[in-house]
Amino acid sequence: GAFFALKGNKTVEMWRYVLPSALRFMPDASRRTLQASSIERIASSVLRISPNPLTGGLATLHYTLPRPGPVHITIYDIAGRAVKRIKVTSCAAQGCHPMNLRSLSAGVYLVRLDTDGFSTTRKLVVQH
């Protein structure tokens, strides 16, 4: 019922298009009449990790969510294996979460944040 698109013009701005449930099964001609009220703008700074590159093992995840709720953070190595999972049961729509990443060896990782109907990923470089 939703899809994401880059705005373009050399920006990193992302747009999320949501189809109301009543319109999901309508013919394409009817879908073209969707109004701007069904479009939810997502800021380009949805997820930020600092410091990046990480040298001391302690990082802070800064986030902006479409709505408050539980969050799952998964860190993947370069081979795509999940090397660390963190569950935050209650998150505000905007805030930060400290992470102890001392167990990660030097390399490039992907940090994925999942919440209700929304997911985003950022690259993390770990140096020792």
Side-chain angles (χ1 to χ4, degrees):
F3 64 93
F4 296 88
L6 287 173
K7 181 182 176 190
N9 294 334
K10 298 182 183 180
T11 68
V12 291
E13 193 170 323
M14 183 76 81
W15 288 77
R16 179 178 179 212
Y17 296 89
V18 180
L19 292 176
S21 59
L23 298 176
R24 288 185 186 157
F25 301 104
M26 294 182 109
D28 287 339
S30 299
R31 288 184 188 180
R32 289 187 197 121
T33 62
L34 287 175
Q35 297 180 359
S37 62
S38 67
I39 299 173
E40 179 182 348
R41 182 172 183 239
I42 297 176
S44 61
S45 61
V46 171
L47 179 62
R48 186 173 49 90
I49 305 161
S50 63
N52 195 3
L54 178 65
T55 55
L58 298 175
T60 303
L61 186 80
H62 303 271
Y63 59 86
T64 302
L65 304 174
R67 60 191 148 280
V71 170
H72 297 274
I73 302 165
T74 309
I75 301 174
Y76 296 94
D77 65 7
I78 198 71
R81 295 179 297 241
V83 294
K84 188 166 183 91
R85 295 179 197 270
I86 303 167
K87 182 178 181 181
V88 183
T89 56
S90 178
C91 276
Q94 187 174 19
C96 59
H97 181 73
M99 298 186 302
N100 182 349
L101 303 177
R102 289 185 178 120
S103 62
L104 299 181
S105 57
V108 178
Y109 295 87
L110 294 176
V111 178
R112 180 177 169 148
L113 182 138
D114 291 299
T115 187
D116 184 36
F118 176 76
S119 175
T120 188
T121 305
R122 289 289 176 264
K123 179 175 73 170
L124 172 66
V125 177
V126 176
Q127 297 176 341
H128 292 290

